[in-house]
Amino acid sequence: MKDSTMNKLEILAESAKYDVSCASSGTTRKNAHGGIGSANGWGICHSYTADGRCVSLLKIMLTNFCLYDCAYCINRRSNDIRRAAFSPKELTELTIEFYRRNYIEGLFLSSGIIKNADHTMERMLRVVKDLRTVHQFNGYIHMKAIPGASSELIYQAGLYADRLSVNLEIATESNLQRLAPEKDHQSIYLPMRHIQQHLMENKDARKKYRHAPQFASAGQSTQIIVGATDETDHQILALSAKLYKRPSMKRVYYSGFIPVNGYDKRLPVVKDVPRMRENRLYQADWLLRFYHFDVNEIVNDQHQDLDLDMDPKLSWAIRNPQFFPVDINRASYEQILRVPGIGIKSAKLIVSARKHSKLNLDVLKRIGVVLKRARFFIVCSEMRSFKFVQSSEAFIRLSLQEAPALGAIPQQQLSMSLE
């Protein structure tokens, strides 16, 4: 590999590392005869497929030159950093060389904006098109769609990339305007709508025509920066819930604010990335997508932010004692799914297993239920029914946080009593 290519790789991989929206789940692109790579399943990051398999991606920018001067971005126009740019041919060959050496299984491609949106998008499109058509590369490709790019270019990109994404960055329009005056939500939502429209049209076309090309089989995703502005978790999750109502939106990623431009007075002074808040938002996001929770059950006007000391499902359960206890042998799947310590797989196994016999604590443990949490909110064949007699949230929290090992808790110490 040439020294010039290595230098560019070092610079542009470093510039790309702050974009977290690069999961490779949801695609089924298979290897074709005579092709290389398969998506079943310096700049190298790890991501996961829908079945949980870890894959390696070359996470790179086409260039870190940019017309914009966003306060939160390391690649902002006014920053005095090393700049570089790959030609489409260079980046295509680099990707193939990394694949042949077994370094990667796919590509995550983004770019700064040069000249204009269409010019940047055209150069990125040349990379993914050559990978597919010239080199017959069938690995996973995630490509950023540039706000302001034409609908036709976005359509062409979706024919070669498995996933497209457009980052919202800041959850509210006012704060986006304050930190990135050259951007607005309208210009970001427009390519999102283009992607959704093309996906729906492609779905109809594939029903009519067997060999119709597939468009962005893994849908689209976006990223929201957390902690750079004053949005509450309620505002962020309410926005995520609206985005998930769009059939094309697969993932919203939450990126804890990293103070790369400490000199900008518009940004908050932070010492550490808010990792715990980021983690809680992902947990709440999971409840929205898979546990049938409404956003106002997780956060609302009374509870604007997620509890950093407790996961959102447990926090909801403590605030809503009227829903408990849940009878494991009689309750519906939806009710069981809301019990802390019981996940989707465990809930399904419970519903299936209780058809054959009544379930007790030992069976629940073998199924995979986290009894340290769940036992406060359930009854089963060897436990008599409990009811909450003390609604003090602090008392319940203390009982849960200081709970000793299973079987060692005297009943009079619990925040529940026998009926």
Side-chain angles (χ1 to χ4, degrees):
M1 192 178 299
K2 297 178 181 178
D3 289 341
S4 60
T5 303
M6 286 296 297
N7 289 334
K8 290 179 182 180
L9 176 62
E10 180 183 353
I11 294 169
L12 296 173
E14 176 70 17
S15 295
K17 73 179 184 180
Y18 299 103
D19 195 327
V20 302
S21 57
C22 60
S24 59
S25 57
T27 186
T28 56
R29 186 184 295 273
K30 298 179 180 179
N31 197 347
H33 179 69
I36 59 174
S38 171
N40 278 328
W42 288 293
I44 297 176
C45 68
H46 295 94
S47 192
Y48 295 87
T49 60
D51 60 2
R53 183 173 62 87
C54 181
V55 297
S56 298
L57 302 177
L58 173 60
K59 187 177 182 182
I60 197 75
M61 297 184 75
L62 185 66
T63 179
N64 64 347
F65 287 98
C66 192
L67 296 175
Y68 294 158
D69 200 33
C70 307
Y72 46 80
C73 183
I74 187 65
N75 302 307
R76 60 186 296 183
R77 182 181 65 239
S78 59
N79 267 0
D80 183 17
I81 61 172
R82 292 192 298 165
R83 305 283 181 173
F86 281 118
S87 69
K89 182 179 179 180
E90 283 179 317
L91 188 49
T92 301
E93 291 176 350
L94 179 67
T95 303
I96 294 301
E97 283 301 312
F98 269 43
Y99 176 79
R100 293 189 191 281
R101 298 179 188 187
N102 202 30
Y103 292 165
I104 62 166
E105 296 172 78
L107 172 68
F108 175 85
L109 177 61
S110 61
S111 180
I113 313 300
I114 48 176
K115 291 189 178 181
N116 55 58
D118 277 353
H119 175 78
T120 305
M121 195 74 178
E122 285 173 354
R123 291 176 65 83
M124 296 172 71
L125 177 58
R126 283 175 57 190
V127 175
V128 297
K129 184 176 181 179
D130 285 353
L131 283 172
R132 297 298 194 206
T133 60
V134 177
H135 298 278
Q136 302 300 307
F137 180 72
N138 293 291
Y140 175 80
I141 297 179
H142 181 156
M143 178 177 162
K144 307 296 292 188
I146 305 298
S150 69
S151 176
E152 176 59 27
L153 285 175
I154 290 175
Y155 175 71
Q156 290 294 321
L159 295 180
Y160 303 108
D162 297 287
R163 173 169 288 181
L164 297 174
S165 60
V166 188
N167 286 350
L168 274 168
E169 304 292 11
I170 305 297
T172 60
E173 177 75 24
S174 58
N175 280 331
L176 179 65
Q177 285 285 299
R178 185 169 62 86
L179 298 185
E182 297 148 310
K183 292 182 178 180
D184 59 69
H185 274 173
Q186 183 179 356
S187 65
I188 296 172
Y189 284 126
L190 184 58
M192 285 185 173
R193 287 195 291 270
H194 288 327
I195 295 170
Q196 179 173 309
Q197 181 181 356
H198 292 318
L199 275 166
M200 295 175 68
E201 291 173 352
N202 182 252
K203 184 177 181 181
D204 291 338
R206 289 178 64 81
K207 289 180 180 178
K208 296 178 181 179
Y209 308 106
R210 180 179 179 183
H211 298 292
Q214 193 164 18
F215 178 90
S217 60
Q220 65 173 313
S221 62
T222 190
Q223 172 180 274
I224 298 173
I225 297 174
V226 178
T229 45
D230 60 359
E231 288 91 0
T232 64
D233 293 338
H234 188 198
Q235 289 175 296
I236 293 172
L237 289 171
L239 174 60
S240 297
K242 290 180 181 179
L243 291 173
Y244 282 133
K245 290 180 180 179
R246 302 183 178 196
S248 61
M249 184 60 66
K250 299 302 182 182
R251 286 294 304 273
V252 176
Y253 291 86
Y254 308 95
S255 177
F257 170 62
I258 301 174
V260 292
N261 300 318
Y263 61 85
D264 196 312
K265 302 304 181 184
R266 292 172 293 176
L267 297 171
V269 178
V270 296
K271 293 183 179 179
D272 300 310
V273 179
R275 296 295 188 199
M276 183 52 70
R277 185 183 179 194
E278 181 184 297
N279 183 54
R280 294 296 183 224
L281 283 167
Y282 277 116
Q283 291 174 327
D285 185 275
W286 207 258
L287 295 182
L288 289 175
R289 291 192 294 142
F290 301 113
Y291 286 76
H292 311 303
F293 276 78
D294 182 82
V295 66
N296 289 314
E297 294 179 296
I298 305 169
V299 281
N300 48 49
D301 293 336
Q302 289 71 43
H303 300 87
Q304 291 278 340
D305 293 305
L306 297 168
D307 191 333
L308 298 183
D309 297 324
M310 194 171 291
D311 75 73
K313 189 178 182 185
L314 183 56
S315 180
W316 172 84
I318 288 176
R319 296 198 311 268
N320 294 274
Q322 69 274 16
F323 288 95
F324 302 100
V326 170
D327 188 337
I328 291 298
N329 289 294
R330 296 182 179 181
S332 67
Y333 168 77
E334 288 73 20
Q335 289 175 304
I336 294 172
L337 200 57
R338 292 196 166 215
V339 175
I342 298 181
I344 296 173
K345 183 178 179 180
S346 297
K348 290 179 178 179
L349 287 173
I350 287 170
V351 173
S352 177
R354 70 186 184 184
K355 295 177 182 178
H356 307 286
S357 63
K358 287 189 174 182
L359 309 183
N360 56 31
L361 291 177
D362 183 59
V363 174
L364 292 178
K365 186 175 182 180
R366 283 187 277 127
I367 282 176
V369 174
V370 183
L371 290 176
K372 183 179 180 180
R373 295 186 179 191
R375 67 168 309 184
F376 290 90
F377 304 96
I378 63 172
V379 290
C380 58
S381 62
E382 64 184 26
M383 297 172 62
R384 284 191 286 169
S385 179
F386 290 103
K387 67 177 180 180
F388 284 93
V389 295
Q390 183 168 348
S391 59
S392 168
E393 185 173 323
F395 182 86
I396 300 173
R397 283 173 179 269
L398 184 64
S399 299
L400 287 168
Q401 291 172 356
E402 298 184 355
L406 179 64
I409 307 178
Q411 289 178 348
Q412 62 268 24
Q413 291 183 3
L414 302 179
S415 57
M416 297 168 270
S417 69
L418 291 170
E419 282 188 336

